[in-house]
Amino acid sequence: MATTTPTARQRQRDATRDRILEAAVEAFAEMGFRGASTREIARRAGTNQGLITYHFQSKDALWRAAADSIFERLGRQLTERLDALDLSDPRELAREGIRQYVRFAAAHPELFRIMVDEGRVADDRMKWLVDTHLRPRFEAIAPGLVEAAGVDEALLPHAFYALAGAASLMFAVAPECRRLTGLDPRSAQAVEAHADYVARLLAP
Amino acid sequence: MATTTPTARQRQRDATRDRILEAAVEAFAEMGFRGASTREIARRAGTNQGLITYHFQSKDALWRAAADSIFERLGRQLTERLDALDLSDPRELAREGIRQYVRFAAAHPELFRIMVDEGRVADDRMKWLVDTHLRPRFEAIAPGLVEAAGVDEALLPHAFYALAGAASLMFAVAPECRRLTGLDPRSAQAVEAHADYVARLLAP
DNA sequence: GTCTATAATTAGATAGAC
DNA sequence: GTCTATCTAATTATAGAC
């Protein structure tokens, strides 16, 4: 083969890179950008700090790769499942879209945590996150909120943040929720109950 | 005087302590417990790191004092304003209580930010926060949600976290919201619009 | 590719001058 | 009370062995 050999070494390399990326997603979501050290990320990935520099050039670049990974998952889950839905009742379509988003927030609390971590200060990471990932997502959701859920267009920002907050907070602070209320939000039953509650809230 | 003199020195001392505490509230809310350094907090307070150790014994104790301060403000705002309200229509009372909470979340995004920062991991700070401040607050709000807003008691945790998230997220990530939607959530108009939107959402 | 060693910064806590 | 200097530990980034 003229191009490259898809060797075992290549696969090993990719596997290492993936383990680092996965560990980074979890660590950044758990402790924030500053709180998560590259040493700790390497330890979780079962490797060493030097390899992070090798695969990703800097901590900042690693964080961007982690954000890419999270939003890629969100895009996949939202599009694939909604395509299979019946379009006859727009209000029910809106509700199912919201339920789907709640299920994603429950399975991936990283998204919300990183949004809250990075949205507070107008630094480079925030601007990059908005321009690269948040705006396309916002523009994809907006028509559904207006047409199917019946949100007044002037209230779109309010509906967007109310939805994101109502859908995600409980799962983002799952340990706290469990201690405070006794309910474990990670349970399948709690996820479905929350999905239905939020869907009826925003698209009654 | 036998006890103590309420001297200028004493007032100076308290003023310094207050400046440190206020700087700590802002820094912890902005950068999280790990991200906010005691040196940076001292710098914002216009003093030095040594005085933090003098007034508060450790960074951990300073953080607790900051949390105390935030929840004290919340308690004051929620009780004082609702006392003045007419009780005739319970549904309208619930809506006004929710509006009041949204206004607080807008004026003090620190509360939500610290909740999300500390609620992710079951460490000592999270347990202390739940047992000391969150549980009393939850138990004070619960009856209002059930009786006035008409929430099914089995859905209480869902309603609580949906309310907290819907009310607060937009203000907690105000810089991001502004860049994403063009709307500045700190404006008085946006605050009132959000208060009304969330109130109608949860107590229609 | 993977890993160890290390340089340059920065952290929280402490000691002591004034 | 307030502030400076310093100790120990942990941080990111880099250099280089294998």
Side-chain angles (χ1 to χ4, degrees):
Chain A
M1 299 172 194
T3 51
T4 44
T5 47
T7 53
R9 189 184 178 87
Q10 183 79 6
R11 284 200 306 278
Q12 174 66 19
R13 173 206 165 101
D14 291 350
T16 302
R17 208 192 116 100
D18 286 352
R19 284 204 326 277
I20 293 173
L21 188 59
E22 186 53 34
V25 168
E26 289 174 16
F28 284 135
E30 208 171 281
M31 306 182 276
F33 179 79
R34 295 203 207 195
S37 73
T38 53
R39 271 186 178 77
E40 169 67 10
I41 292 170
R43 196 194 59 74
R44 290 188 190 203
T47 175
N48 59 80
Q49 193 211 1
L51 267 188
I52 290 187
T53 312
Y54 174 77
H55 284 287
F56 308 86
Q57 278 59 28
S58 65
K59 186 182 182 180
D60 212 78
L62 175 61
W63 178 85
R64 282 174 164 76
D68 286 343
S69 170
I70 292 172
F71 275 88
E72 197 218 346
R73 286 176 217 175
L74 174 65
R76 258 208 313 270
Q77 170 150 351
L78 286 190
T79 54
E80 79 183 20
R81 299 261 203 124
L82 278 185
D83 286 349
L85 262 182
D86 180 19
L87 286 151
S88 57
D89 180 2
R91 196 47 73 105
E92 180 51 32
L93 182 73
R95 276 196 290 267
E96 188 53 29
I98 291 170
R99 285 192 204 100
Q100 203 55 23
Y101 176 64
V102 173
R103 289 181 196 117
F104 182 85
H108 300 285
E110 311 91 63
L111 175 67
F112 181 80
R113 289 170 177 168
I114 286 180
M115 261 188 60
V116 175
D117 280 344
E118 304 299 333
R120 318 173 187 199
V121 182
D123 58 8
D124 285 347
R125 285 198 304 279
M126 183 277 258
K127 291 172 185 168
W128 177 88
L129 196 65
V130 169
D131 297 343
T132 311
H133 291 300
L134 239 41
R135 185 165 298 117
R137 198 46 45 206
F138 178 69
E139 285 168 0
I141 289 176
L145 283 176
V146 172
E147 288 153 30
V151 170
D152 183 340
E153 199 149 350
L155 294 175
L156 209 45
H158 301 281
F160 179 77
Y161 279 102
L163 168 59
S168 312
L169 177 60
M170 172 182 254
F171 308 108
V173 297
E176 174 204 288
C177 173
R178 186 158 162 65
R179 188 175 183 92
L180 176 63
T181 70
L183 175 74
D184 181 5
R186 316 294 298 245
S187 74
Q189 192 185 349
V191 173
E192 281 311 302
H194 201 66
D196 215 56
Y197 181 77
V198 175
R200 286 175 199 283
L201 222 54
L202 271 110
Chain B
M1 300 175 192
T3 51
T4 46
T5 44
T7 54
R9 188 182 178 86
Q10 182 79 5
R11 284 199 307 277
Q12 174 66 18
R13 172 205 164 100
D14 291 350
T16 301
R17 208 192 114 101
D18 285 352
R19 283 203 329 276
I20 293 174
L21 188 58
E22 187 53 35
V25 167
E26 288 174 17
F28 283 135
E30 208 170 280
M31 305 181 277
F33 179 79
R34 295 203 208 195
S37 72
T38 53
R39 273 185 177 77
E40 169 67 11
I41 292 171
R43 196 194 58 74
R44 290 189 189 202
T47 175
N48 59 80
Q49 193 211 2
L51 265 189
I52 290 187
T53 312
Y54 174 77
H55 283 287
F56 308 86
Q57 278 58 30
S58 65
K59 186 182 183 181
D60 211 79
L62 175 61
W63 179 85
R64 281 175 165 76
D68 286 343
S69 169
I70 293 171
F71 275 89
E72 198 219 346
R73 286 176 217 176
L74 174 64
R76 256 207 315 268
Q77 171 149 351
L78 286 190
T79 54
E80 81 183 20
R81 298 264 204 122
L82 278 185
D83 287 349
L85 262 182
D86 180 19
L87 285 150
S88 58
D89 180 2
R91 196 47 73 104
E92 181 50 33
L93 181 74
R95 276 196 290 267
E96 188 52 28
I98 292 170
R99 283 193 206 100
Q100 203 54 24
Y101 176 64
V102 172
R103 290 181 195 117
F104 181 85
H108 300 285
E110 311 92 61
L111 175 68
F112 181 79
R113 288 170 177 168
I114 286 181
M115 261 188 61
V116 175
D117 280 345
E118 304 299 333
R120 318 172 187 200
V121 182
D123 59 9
D124 285 348
R125 285 197 304 279
M126 184 277 258
K127 291 172 184 168
W128 176 88
L129 195 66
V130 170
D131 296 343
T132 310
H133 291 300
L134 238 42
R135 184 164 300 118
R137 201 41 50 202
F138 179 69
E139 285 168 1
I141 289 177
L145 282 176
V146 172
E147 288 154 29
V151 170
D152 184 340
E153 199 150 349
L155 294 176
L156 209 43
H158 301 281
F160 179 76
Y161 279 102
L163 168 59
S168 313
L169 176 61
M170 172 182 253
F171 308 108
V173 298
E176 173 204 289
C177 174
R178 186 158 162 67
R179 188 174 183 91
L180 177 63
T181 71
L183 175 73
D184 181 5
R186 316 291 302 242
S187 75
Q189 193 184 350
V191 172
E192 280 312 301
H194 201 67
D196 215 57
Y197 182 77
V198 173
R200 287 175 200 283
L201 221 54
L202 271 110

